[in-house]
Amino acid sequence: MLCEWWKKRRNGLYILICAIFVMSCLPVLQGQAEEKKEEKIYCAAFGDSIAKGYAGKKQEDLQSYPQLIADAVSEETRIPTEYVNYAKNGLTSVRLNSDVLSTEETAASLERADIITLTIGANDLMQEFKLTVREILETDQRFTSAYDAFDALQEGIEGNPLLVMRVLGMLEDWDYAAFDEQWVAAMKTISQYRKDGSQLVVTDIYNPVNQFELPGTMNMVVDEVIQNMNQVMYDHAEEYDYHVVDLFESEICEHTQRDGLHPDQEGQRLIAGLAMEKIDTGRFMGEPEKEIEKTEPARKSIGRTILGNIRKVIILTAAAVILIAGGIFVWRKRRRKADTPDDK
């Protein structure tokens, strides 16, 4: 009789035991599923129109270099990436700090980010240059673009070559301290929120001015100003744990749009490729840490020395020209007097 009772109930008991076992394993299985589901590499991009992928008026934006980086990281690691871009057209370092890095949304992104990219400084340069040109030409004209400012300056120098002296004087007094202050403020904010192990990559400023038809001296001066601004980035790299992507010495200027300033799609790919050299993707796959070479400026900027030397050379050259011209004038006057017969 007992055997019959057991036969009737054993199947139900087996089902009950299996159900208990499954229920006990469910939290573990759910945890593993959630862990697998949440396995992503989070990429956050900050900066100006270059980082945004600006493609000129009435055109769709390009694939920006941060997006290309996110895609490349996902391809290398076989781990999906989540990507967000806070870049804005025309953004300066001041607005980066006041309008972007100050928000709660940004803070939350920095806390999650595994890879952070930053491109800033070019608009600081262009904005300051436009103001400088206005002062040099003593005009109230507001230049809408760097092109307008360059054209006005070129025209002014052609009409009055001595304006080059004023250009050199004002560029010699360029306010690098203001950019340094804003750069450090941005780095402090990013460092405050970024998580341990995150990777920060910044790009320096390249020089598109060589494509404009300016006097050689002017190109040298602008080149020097950009290197001084880039030096600010390199000076703080170790303190705030980031790598600098060297665009100044790259071929980026050969891959710009019609405006001569913004990268075309090939230019964006070039930036992404150089930036990937500064990112350790093996870290996401448990591989040994990659040894990333720390970039140094091609030549350390020597500050105002070159500007001062150029200024001295121009002054000496101008003085020599005046002396030579004066000597020629006196010589010709004497020659005419010698050739004129004496009155009798």
Side-chain angles (χ1 to χ4, degrees):
M1 193 170 176
L2 183 62
C3 291
E4 290 181 2
W5 179 86
W6 171 249
K7 287 179 182 179
K8 290 180 181 179
R9 287 167 174 75
R10 66 180 177 181
N11 291 336
L13 186 60
Y14 288 155
I15 293 172
L16 178 62
I17 293 172
C18 289
I20 293 172
F21 178 77
V22 169
M23 291 294 288
S24 65
C25 293
L26 191 58
V28 177
L29 294 172
Q30 285 179 334
Q32 290 177 346
E34 287 177 5
E35 185 178 345
K36 188 172 183 180
K37 183 179 177 181
E38 291 177 358
E39 189 180 17
K40 285 186 179 180
I41 299 171
Y42 189 83
C43 304
F46 299 88
D48 52 30
S49 54
I50 296 173
K52 188 176 185 297
Y54 174 80
K57 294 180 179 179
K58 298 181 180 179
Q59 297 182 42
E60 292 184 4
D61 286 350
L62 306 173
Q63 267 197 303
S64 65
Y65 82 84
Q67 175 66 70
L68 295 171
I69 288 174
D71 293 344
V73 169
S74 180
E75 185 177 349
E76 284 190 17
T77 61
R78 303 298 178 186
I79 301 172
T81 54
E82 187 174 342
Y83 162 76
V84 62
N85 194 328
Y86 295 100
K88 295 183 178 182
N89 294 338
L91 200 70
T92 61
S93 60
V94 173
R95 287 184 52 213
L96 171 70
N97 286 306
S98 64
D99 300 351
V100 180
L101 294 179
S102 60
T103 66
E104 292 182 4
E105 182 183 359
T106 294
S109 288
L110 288 171
E111 288 174 349
R112 292 181 60 197
D114 299 295
I115 297 173
I116 306 165
T117 60
L118 172 63
T119 294
I120 203 73
N123 289 308
D124 296 65
L125 175 70
M126 293 301 177
Q127 187 178 77
E128 187 67 23
F129 182 79
K130 287 187 284 187
L131 292 174
T132 299
V133 172
R134 286 180 64 192
E135 290 184 39
I136 291 169
L137 300 179
E138 296 180 349
T139 178
D140 293 330
Q141 179 182 356
R142 293 188 178 276
F143 303 110
T144 57
S145 69
Y147 269 118
D148 294 336
F150 278 117
D151 289 343
L153 182 60
Q154 178 71 10
E155 185 178 343
I157 291 174
E158 288 175 357
N160 180 9
L162 290 179
L163 281 178
V164 173
M165 295 297 299
R166 294 196 64 192
V167 174
L168 293 176
M170 292 200 173
L171 292 179
E172 189 174 357
D173 295 327
W174 196 280
D175 192 2
Y176 299 107
F179 180 66
D180 187 287
E181 181 182 351
Q182 293 299 324
W183 181 264
V184 169
M187 290 302 108
K188 284 182 176 179
T189 301
I190 293 172
S191 297
Q192 178 183 353
Y193 294 107
R194 65 185 283 201
K195 67 181 182 181
D196 292 341
S198 64
Q199 302 180 61
L200 173 59
V201 176
V202 307
T203 62
D204 68 8
I205 306 169
Y206 56 88
N207 183 9
V209 170
N210 290 327
Q211 301 181 64
F212 296 98
E213 294 180 359
L214 288 179
T217 303
M218 276 293 300
N219 281 331
M220 290 177 63
V221 171
V222 174
D223 192 77
E224 182 71 16
V225 169
I226 291 175
Q227 287 195 74
N228 284 338
M229 292 182 70
N230 287 341
Q231 189 65 48
V232 170
M233 303 180 192
Y234 287 102
D235 287 344
H236 298 287
E238 186 172 350
E239 179 183 2
Y240 293 103
D241 186 26
Y242 60 81
H243 291 283
V244 182
V245 179
D246 182 11
L247 299 185
F248 184 84
E249 291 292 327
S250 73
E251 298 176 356
I252 186 66
C253 290
E254 297 176 17
H255 302 286
T256 55
Q257 299 173 45
R258 289 182 179 180
D259 62 6
L261 301 173
H262 294 92
D264 57 20
Q265 189 60 74
E266 188 58 37
Q268 291 285 352
R269 290 193 186 95
L270 173 63
I271 299 174
L274 292 172
M276 283 298 293
E277 295 176 5
K278 305 296 181 182
I279 296 173
D280 184 4
T281 55
R283 189 179 299 183
F284 304 110
M285 300 178 288
E287 296 178 357
E289 186 173 347
K290 173 182 174 182
E291 188 173 340
I292 299 176
E293 182 180 355
K294 290 188 177 181
T295 307
E296 294 293 337
R299 67 175 181 82
K300 284 200 173 182
S301 179
I302 51 178
R304 299 181 178 183
T305 306
I306 187 170
L307 297 176
N309 289 339
I310 291 173
R311 201 173 185 182
K312 290 174 185 176
V313 169
I314 290 177
I315 292 173
L316 292 174
T317 303
V321 169
I322 292 171
L323 289 172
I324 292 171
I328 292 173
F329 175 78
V330 172
W331 176 79
R332 285 180 175 173
K333 188 175 181 180
R334 288 178 178 175
R335 181 69 181 271
R336 279 195 222 102
K337 188 175 181 180
D339 292 342
T340 303
D342 294 335
D343 292 336
K344 293 184 179 178

